[in-house]
Amino acid sequence: MADPTIQTFCCHRSNRTDEVGLLYEFNSPTYNTVCAVSSAIGVCGAIYQLLPRQELQKASSRWVPFTITRGRRIIMWLAVADLLASLGVFVRSLLWISNQTLIPSVGSDSSLIFCFLTSAWIEYFYMCTWLWTLCYAIDVRQVYKERSCNLWLYHLFAWSVPAALTSTGLSILYVPKENCHSLESNAYLRILPNYCATYLPIAAVMIVNPILYAATSKDVTMQAARVLGQITSRERSYVGAVRFKFFAINAAFYVCWLPNLINGLLLWTLWFNLPVHVLTGLWYIMAVTNPMQALLNSLVYRRWNGQPQRLRLPCRSQEAEEVSLNEETPLLLSPESFRSSKNTSINGCTAT
């Protein structure tokens, strides 16, 4: 899972009974097996998202997304970050199961370094997925407003901001001493920045994305009424498809990361009286939901146009293949598309 609690366990030196109990559960083979299985599924989901696809038949509609390249590229980079994060969880879990000396322990510098490096890797790439998710919502808004945006700006934002937050949070946590729980090192001031660096991006995406999607959905309805002059069953169909698509994207993100926010809230409000059983249950939930983000993304970011597709694998013959670059994600169409056809809905959903 991706949670700052893991980083604090990497430098764990406390003798508190509740913390020791949580640490033993975190290091247990059962917990790491759950992490390994869920992350393996996440890896498969990310790889599936990255594979190119070919539509087996052409859509009967003249509606073609004008965000073919932009949206698909964002989704691909989101899948890359998902893949690397899930791989980090998978490798760490397998090594902790097979090699007990790598589990964080008192007086072991090698285990501390391994825990630090793997946790930093996982936290960084999951933070990248959060910001790519935000970039996608921003781009949907920009696309509908017919505003251009250079992809390099998204790259700069989605890769550099996580690097700055991760390095800052972990540097404060581990420098100059790895004993971040020591009262002599002002434990609260060392641990809190890392929690803020992790939870604030999650909270920002949970707040900003629904607002962006709600505003875009409203504009879709107004655009359909203004251009077509009326709201019929066809218009209601594609507007409903847009709203459901945005709801599914938001719901997937909340399912994957809301347990992390609840965990952090409980830790900081009940610091001296930790509900061990509740936190343990949350950790198992996070062990499943965090890596499963890649699989859920492969479902909610696909194109729902009803057209049959197949994977384009290198071993297949190229004959008779008409490569379709239509993005797997339903995005909005330009206002001109409303004028060109009335048979197919926006976001790649065919109206009936």
Side-chain angles (χ1 to χ4, degrees), residues 18-230:
D18 51 1
E19 290 184 1
V20 172
L22 289 171
L23 178 60
Y24 285 155
E25 185 62 41
F26 170 70
N27 293 334
S28 68
T30 303
Y31 178 81
N32 285 298
T33 300
V34 173
C35 290
V37 172
S38 60
S39 60
I41 297 175
V43 168
C44 294
I47 293 175
Y48 178 79
Q49 182 76 298
L50 291 170
L51 291 175
R53 290 166 179 76
Q54 172 196 3
E55 290 192 0
L56 299 183
Q57 65 183 57
K58 293 183 178 180
S60 59
S61 168
R62 295 165 54 194
W63 287 50
V64 179
F66 79 108
T67 57
I68 288 176
T69 303
R70 272 172 60 172
R72 180 60 181 165
R73 284 179 178 174
I74 294 176
I75 299 164
M76 295 290 285
W77 285 113
L78 171 59
V80 168
D82 261 327
L83 175 62
L84 294 175
S86 296
L87 276 176
V89 176
F90 182 73
V91 171
R92 183 183 65 185
S93 300
L94 285 186
L95 290 178
W96 275 349
I97 292 173
S98 60
N99 190 349
Q100 298 294 313
T101 61
L102 293 177
I103 295 177
S105 60
V106 177
S108 176
D109 292 335
S110 60
S111 65
L112 186 149
I113 294 174
F114 175 79
C115 184
F116 163 75
L117 293 177
T118 55
S119 298
W121 175 282
I122 294 167
E123 179 180 345
Y124 170 73
F125 282 110
Y126 270 127
M127 197 176 297
C128 291
T129 67
W130 308 334
L131 296 191
W132 275 117
T133 302
L134 178 60
C135 287
Y136 181 81
I138 294 173
D139 195 68
V140 167
R141 186 74 177 152
Q142 294 290 95
V143 163
Y144 188 73
K145 294 296 184 180
E146 297 185 35
R147 299 170 182 168
S148 61
C149 184
N150 293 324
L151 187 64
W152 69 267
L153 291 176
Y154 293 142
H155 279 285
L156 182 65
F157 175 68
W159 300 117
S160 62
V161 173
L165 292 176
T166 302
S167 59
T168 300
L170 295 182
S171 296
I172 296 174
L173 187 64
Y174 293 115
V175 178
K177 297 179 180 180
E178 76 281 1
N179 188 358
C180 58
H181 287 272
S182 174
L183 296 178
E184 298 177 357
S185 62
N186 204 339
Y188 291 105
L189 294 181
R190 295 187 63 182
I191 296 174
L192 182 59
N194 190 43
Y195 274 83
C196 293
T198 303
Y199 289 140
L200 288 181
I202 298 177
V205 175
M206 287 184 173
I207 295 172
V208 175
N209 275 25
I211 295 175
L212 291 174
Y213 286 139
T216 304
S217 298
K218 182 179 179 181
D219 287 345
V220 170
T221 305
M222 295 176 62
Q223 184 69 33
R226 182 169 63 253
V227 175
L228 300 177
Q230 60 180 342

Side-chain angles (χ1 to χ4, degrees), residues 297-317:
N297 281 346
S298 69
L299 298 177
V300 300
Y301 284 104
R302 67 185 179 87
R303 189 182 178 199
W304 296 347
N305 62 350
Q307 298 295 330
Q309 294 180 334
R310 71 179 179 187
L311 297 179
R312 294 182 59 237
L313 301 177
C315 58
R316 281 186 177 154
S317 172

